[in-house]
Amino acid sequence: MRKLRIGVIDLVSKCPTRAMWARVMHANFASIMPQAVAVWCQEEGHNVTYLCYTGFENLADELPGNVELVFIGAFTEAAQLSYALSNQFRSRGAVTVLGGPHARCYPQDAQKYFDYVLGFTDKSIIHEVLTDCAPNRPMGVHLSAAGQPSSLPGVRERWAFIEPTLRKAPFIKMVPMLGSLGCPYQCSFCIDSVVPYQPLDMDVMKADLAFLLTKFKRPLVGFHDPNFGVQFHNCMNAIEEAVPPGRIDFAAESSLSLLSEPHLVRLKRNGFKALLPGVESWYDMGEKSHTGKLRGMGKVLEVSEHVNMILRYVPYLQANFVLGLDVDEGNEPFELTKRFIDLTPGAFPGYSLLSAFGQAAPLNLHYQEAGRVIPFPFHFLNNNGAMNIAPKNYSWPAFYQHVIDLTRYSFSSRSILKRARATRTFIPKWLNAIRALSSEGNGRIAYYSEILRRLNTDPQFRPFFEMQTTEIPQFYVDRVRKDMGSMWRWLPEGGLQHDPNAYLKSQVEDTARSVEVRLAV
Ligand code: B12
Ligand code: SF4
């Protein structure tokens, strides 16, 4: 195979930024897969330049001008930036490939702008792209492995890409690792509800942890597992075999059902410093939070007691909630979350507006069938820039009023102070304050207030939100243009619009095709 000049770009940021939170944390949010792809390309003998874009780099200058093949990893919020980049690279003669959450959720749309769009990706899929490496236009080729890869390059192999990325992080330097893929639970809103649980090789994990001890005095590892600790004892055994007590700090996303007190004793002993469990709803998802059929205030009391217990073992906890679920109605869900904040002052509340990311989850078919998905530009689909599902039980102004009220309550000086007092250690105290005072507190209150104001005054807003038109309000177009800066001119024609029902249509087409095949047989 000819030796190719390859670029690999991980879009952690969707646009240039100067925000303090981004400066401190973006480099810590680098994804594992772009690094894995870079390793696989090198293993096949190619010349690779890797870039983790945190919003502070000049995208035009960082990759050599003569790359022949470019892999881009993007969340949906960075889709527009990825489309513009692909267009720019194609104009210079390169072949482009998209992977990551956006490619998995919106393959039909991404195929219009990339030569290859990858779903599940393993070494053989990358080999196929490298061997083929041809422009596919106007529609790119969609490739996907049968399932998640059975193994991935470990930290030692990815180190050449991890190290320069973490050099951009001023204080906290978190190394991304994986202990498992998929999940045994089936929460219908989740991208992993249909992906079988699969532990990764614990020997690789042990070797990676031992390697990190040679690189940092006290390493910090962020596990990217969808649900960390499903095979709890295997994982803890591996950590205990590789790491002397207290030498490595860990952060992980895990469900409350896995965070029992005996487990927490062991997590604390093994250096777990941050956990991000999902509570999601006071009326649903009882299996995940281990609260069974408990609902309403009963669930608040139970979850609060559980989270306070966790906080006695782990200093930083983010409790995640989804706002606008179909089970929610009236003031009560928002008031219950405020009671949770009062009862659990040490937890940082993470709010997501209900979002259907294309074909991420089976539940999205139901929203598309009901005609409830609104084509907000992808740039705003990050769980807070827009809610792309029409709420079932709220008018839009009433919904935003509740969201603003809850956000104000959660990030009021009183709550920030109570949170700081209830947080024992310095870094978590400080992180909570930056988050509350910048992006998630004041920033969101101002943004949501502007949306509410426009829902009442801007003649383009209500018709779009209420799906009487698909014409995107100028406010959103202007915002994407401003955010993208010099990359705006590379955004291809039509790149701001998408078909919100593409998943449903693809299912109907698949069914029609299989009927045709059966009839032909
Ligand atoms: C760990 C995680 C995080 C971590 C780490 C993020 C990171 N940079 O990787 C943190 C906590 C920082 C995070 C933050 C966010 N997250 Co998150 N996160 C996840 C989670 C739980 C696991 C993802 C993961 O790493 N899986 C392991 C990898 C190996 O598997 P995979 O993601 O399925 O990837 C496969 C393919 O897509 C492909 N692939 C993946 N990347 C690439 C890249 C290239 C170049 C190629 C070729 C292939 C490829 O190969 C993999 C193997 O088959 C998922 C939910 C889930 N259960 O999957 C949400 C998820 C990915 N996050 C989501 C969101 C919305 C966010 C935030 C925007 C939330 C917010 N408002 O802050 C931010 C964005 C952060 C950012 N820009 O980097 C959404 C994404 C939806 C979308 N279409 O954009 C998901 C799907 C959850 C959801 N709501 O449904 N997240
Ligand atoms: S427990 Fe978490 S990762 Fe697993 S299916 Fe439910 S939401 Fe997804």
Side-chain angles (χ1 to χ4, degrees):
M1 202 191 302
R2 189 167 66 82
K3 187 170 177 162
L4 295 165
R5 289 182 299 274
I6 295 177
V8 178
I9 306 177
D10 179 4
L11 293 180
V12 170
S13 190
K14 62 177 176 176
C15 57
T17 174
R18 291 284 165 263
M20 168 127 79
W21 175 251
R23 173 75 72 191
V24 176
M25 290 308 286
H26 271 183
N28 290 298
F29 295 157
S31 296
I32 290 175
M33 279 308 291
Q35 300 171 354
V37 169
V39 170
W40 286 332
C41 290
Q42 280 184 337
E43 282 174 1
E44 301 238 352
H46 302 290
N47 220 322
V48 179
T49 308
Y50 162 91
L51 165 67
C52 173
Y53 177 64
T54 63
F56 294 90
E57 304 78 359
N58 187 341
L59 268 171
D61 298 345
E62 301 260 344
L63 284 198
N66 59 355
V67 283
E68 295 156 279
L69 177 64
V70 182
F71 289 89
I72 298 179
F75 282 64
T76 291
E77 64 170 343
Q80 261 90 32
L81 177 58
S82 76
Y83 293 175
L85 272 171
S86 174
N87 195 16
Q88 191 184 38
F89 281 114
R90 281 170 154 196
S91 76
R92 297 178 193 157
V95 168
T96 60
V97 189
L98 182 74
H102 185 63
R104 260 185 78 187
C105 296
Y106 294 97
Q108 301 84 1
D109 199 72
Q111 277 172 268
K112 293 191 246 165
Y113 310 107
F114 282 83
D115 297 302
Y116 299 87
V117 175
L118 307 188
F120 289 134
T121 304
D122 56 16
K123 197 173 175 179
S124 66
I125 290 282
I126 295 298
H127 175 78
E128 203 175 324
V129 174
L130 294 172
T131 318
D132 195 43
C133 189
N136 292 296
R137 298 164 200 172
M139 285 301 269
V141 174
H142 183 220
L143 298 173
S144 186
Q148 289 287 31
S150 53
S151 66
L152 286 167
V155 173
R156 184 192 289 268
E157 293 150 290
R158 292 187 278 117
W159 186 247
F161 310 114
I162 295 174
E163 203 206 2
T165 303
L166 288 185
R167 239 184 276 132
K168 300 177 186 179
F171 326 104
I172 300 169
K173 293 178 188 290
M174 188 155 63
V175 177
M177 278 182 65
L178 271 169
S180 64
L181 292 164
C183 181
Y185 297 105
Q186 270 123 33
C187 313
S188 59
F189 65 90
C190 171
I191 195 164
D192 265 307
S193 58
V194 287
V195 182
Y197 175 76
Q198 167 203 329
L200 291 171
D201 188 342
M202 290 293 139
D203 286 334
V204 174
M205 195 210 279
K206 285 195 270 183
D208 282 348
L209 295 174
F211 172 76
L212 279 178
L213 285 169
T214 67
K215 294 290 174 193
F216 295 98
K217 203 158 157 250
R218 193 184 176 85
L220 169 62
V221 168
F223 278 112
H224 284 195
D225 302 38
N227 194 1
F228 178 82
V230 170
Q231 289 196 355
F232 186 78
H233 296 293
N234 283 349
C235 250
M236 291 301 118
N237 291 346
I239 291 176
E240 284 159 14
E241 282 163 36
V243 185
R247 280 290 315 282
I248 298 187
D249 290 334
F250 296 98
E253 291 195 34
S254 190
S255 40
L256 286 174
S257 56
L258 297 172
L259 298 172
S260 63
E261 192 148 12
H263 282 191
L264 283 152
V265 171
R266 209 162 168 201
L267 286 168
K268 178 180 177 176
R269 199 170 59 228
N270 287 335
F272 278 73
K273 294 289 167 19
L275 292 172
L276 292 82
V279 178
E280 326 297 4
S281 158
W282 300 120
Y283 306 95
D284 206 352
M285 269 72 95
E287 189 198 3
K288 220 185 139 187
S289 52
H290 206 47
T291 47
K293 296 211 172 347
L294 262 184
R295 293 161 64 89
M297 195 60 199
K299 182 166 175 185
V300 174
L301 293 173
E302 180 110 351
V303 169
S304 174
E305 199 182 316
H306 191 165
V307 168
N308 282 327
M309 183 273 287
I310 297 174
L311 283 164
R312 289 199 290 276
Y313 293 92
V314 174
Y316 190 89
L317 182 140
Q318 175 180 319
N320 291 327
F321 298 91
V322 181
L323 307 181
L325 286 163
D326 284 3
V327 283
D328 290 350
E329 206 170 348
N331 294 346
E332 197 179 78
F334 297 92
E335 291 304 314
L336 289 175
T337 308
K338 290 185 193 170
R339 295 297 73 79
F340 172 81
I341 287 167
D342 296 339
L343 293 166
T344 332
F348 188 95
Y351 300 125
S352 292
L353 305 184
L354 178 65
S355 306
F357 289 103
Q359 60 191 58
L363 190 64
N364 297 355
L365 273 181
H366 156 82
Y367 292 126
Q368 294 184 13
E369 271 158 5
R372 288 175 58 193
V373 187
I374 306 165
F376 280 98
F378 293 134
H379 189 76
F380 300 94
L381 297 191
N382 60 3
N383 292 335
N384 56 69
M387 164 156 147
N388 71 343
I389 303 172
K392 190 168 168 210
N393 300 315
Y394 298 93
S395 70
W396 280 109
F399 177 71
Y400 268 96
Q401 192 58 67
H402 282 303
V403 173
I404 293 167
D405 179 48
L406 177 63
T407 315
R408 280 213 175 101
Y409 192 89
S410 312
F411 303 112
S412 63
S413 325
R414 180 175 163 271
S415 299
I416 295 178
L417 220 68
K418 276 181 79 184
R419 203 167 291 132
R421 278 202 204 107
T423 311
R424 284 170 289 131
T425 42
F426 177 71
I427 291 181
K429 223 186 250 278
W430 183 75
L431 273 183
N432 276 343
I434 303 190
R435 283 182 79 175
L437 293 170
S438 63
S439 48
E440 295 200 46
N442 295 344
R444 280 196 201 162
I445 294 167
Y447 177 72
Y448 293 149
S449 302
E450 179 63 11
I451 301 295
L452 176 60
R453 191 183 71 75
R454 285 180 182 268
L455 279 166
N456 292 320
T457 57
D458 185 330
Q460 292 187 317
F461 258 54
R462 290 292 274 274
F464 181 71
F465 277 65
E466 285 163 9
M467 286 180 283
Q468 291 143 13
T469 174
T470 52
E471 195 180 328
I472 301 165
Q474 195 58 36
F475 167 81
Y476 289 106
V477 179
D478 291 344
R479 219 165 156 122
V480 186
R481 181 189 296 131
K482 182 165 171 272
D483 281 354
M484 286 181 66
S486 60
M487 286 311 291
W488 169 259
R489 71 190 176 92
W490 288 103
L491 185 67
E493 174 98 34
L496 264 192
Q497 286 82 21
H498 71 275
D499 178 353
N501 299 317
Y503 179 27
L504 182 62
K505 288 180 190 157
S506 73
Q507 295 291 102
V508 173
E509 279 162 20
D510 283 354
T511 315
R513 226 172 286 133
S514 64
V515 169
E516 263 170 40
V517 171
R518 255 184 280 134
L519 287 177
V521 171

